[in-house]
Amino acid sequence: NAGVMQNPRHLVRRRGQEARLRCSPMKGHSHVYWYRQLPEEGLKFMVYLQKENIIDESGMPKERFSAEFPKEGPSILRIQQVVRGDSAAYFCASSPMAGSSYEQYFGPGTRLTVT
Amino acid sequence: AQTVTQSQPEMSVQEAETVTLSCTYDTSESDYYLFWYKQPPSRQMILVIRQEAYKQQNATENRFSVNFQKAAKSFSLKISDSQLGDAAMYFCAYPVRGSQGNLIFGKGTKLSVKP
């Protein structure tokens, strides 16, 4: 059973370009969480999705950021018109069920560098 | 606001010795889960141990154990017989109140293991 997959592992974008980060959850998991980790910081929650639904986007900036988890295919975190402050590691995690008692399995992260 | 505090930015331990990493948190809930995650240089987030707050018995996983003091809202991680492979960032985390499992992370403790 493959773990959570994220690609690309490293992504370099110039200011103003778009960044697309992909996350394939573990087989059988339909709950996906996205987190952002700035240098020297812990992870910070961005958005929680189920298939075809955004459940909680309270941690996601209201502008330039969007997320989706279609019926088929990976979850996508999209950052439009990137700025230097978007440089960070972005992790997704998946879980078989929602709720505080279920372990979240993390992917290896995508390191975004904005030049 | 819910918070997680890891007061030790860096710790060092001699190989085969024991080290304790501290974590305090703030929640008004009575039933919740607490987690310790390890992030080695590969940046992959790995669950080390999980504690259920309603259980008085401290969780253990091989060389890893916790000292859970519910009244003091303290959740420290003890690593016994430290190994070189234990060198990593360690993050304490717990779910946001009322969320679907979104985790709040501390800023982390960087553990070095000396041979």
Side-chain angles (χ1 to χ4, degrees):
Chain A
N1 188 6
V4 178
M5 311 282 281
Q6 286 189 252
N7 67 81
R9 292 293 306 275
H10 300 276
L11 182 61
V12 179
R13 285 288 178 264
R14 291 199 183 94
R15 279 179 296 170
Q17 291 184 319
E18 178 181 287
R20 281 186 177 235
L21 288 62
R22 295 175 186 77
C23 169
S24 296
M26 286 183 71
K27 187 176 181 181
H29 290 192
S30 58
H31 303 263
V32 167
Y33 304 79
W34 284 93
Y35 295 85
R36 176 164 66 175
Q37 184 179 31
L38 295 171
E40 311 300 324
E41 296 281 330
L43 279 67
K44 287 191 166 33
F45 167 76
M46 297 181 74
V47 61
Y48 160 57
L49 310 100
Q50 295 178 17
K51 284 282 188 181
E52 300 185 275
N53 286 300
I54 298 174
I55 306 301
D56 182 351
E57 54 184 347
S58 59
M60 198 155 68
K62 294 195 179 348
E63 296 181 356
R64 301 187 299 107
F65 286 73
S66 62
E68 63 178 19
F69 189 14
K71 187 176 180 181
E72 301 291 339
S75 175
I76 307 260
L77 179 68
R78 183 181 175 208
I79 311 171
Q80 295 178 291
Q81 299 174 334
V82 296
V83 300
R84 288 229 171 99
D86 297 332
S87 294
Y90 292 82
F91 290 89
C92 85
S94 73
S95 179
M97 297 283 285
S100 59
S101 62
Y102 293 96
E103 178 182 348
Q104 294 181 22
Y105 296 80
F106 281 82
T110 293
R111 180 172 288 188
L112 172 65
T113 301
V114 179
T115 60
Chain B
Q2 291 175 280
T3 57
V4 180
T5 301
Q6 293 181 250
S7 58
Q8 307 150 316
E10 295 187 28
M11 291 283 285
S12 181
V13 64
Q14 204 71 36
E15 197 175 3
E17 299 280 300
T18 295
V19 64
T20 299
L21 310 183
S22 67
C23 172
T24 58
Y25 59 94
D26 187 12
T27 181
S28 57
E29 297 197 70
S30 58
D31 188 15
Y32 49 90
Y33 288 77
L34 295 156
F35 304 89
W36 276 99
Y37 279 90
K38 170 185 177 181
Q39 187 179 43
S42 67
R43 302 188 69 84
Q44 176 79 50
M45 295 289 288
I46 303 164
L47 180 66
V48 175
I49 200 164
R50 177 173 74 171
Q51 174 76 44
E52 299 171 65
Y54 68 88
K55 287 187 176 179
Q56 294 191 351
Q57 187 174 9
N58 289 324
T60 61
E61 285 288 342
N62 301 314
R63 297 182 296 107
F64 298 88
S65 61
V66 302
N67 182 4
F68 175 50
Q69 304 287 330
K70 190 174 183 179
K73 297 181 181 176
S74 170
F75 178 57
S76 59
L77 174 69
K78 186 170 94 171
I79 306 173
S80 304
D81 186 25
S82 297
Q83 300 176 358
L84 294 177
D86 295 334
M89 286 290 291
Y90 287 83
F91 295 96
C92 174
Y94 74 102
V96 173
R97 180 177 64 242
S99 77
Q100 294 293 316
N102 318 340
L103 296 172
I104 294 177
F105 286 83
K107 290 194 172 184
T109 296
K110 183 177 182 180
L111 178 66
S112 303
V113 181
K114 296 178 181 177

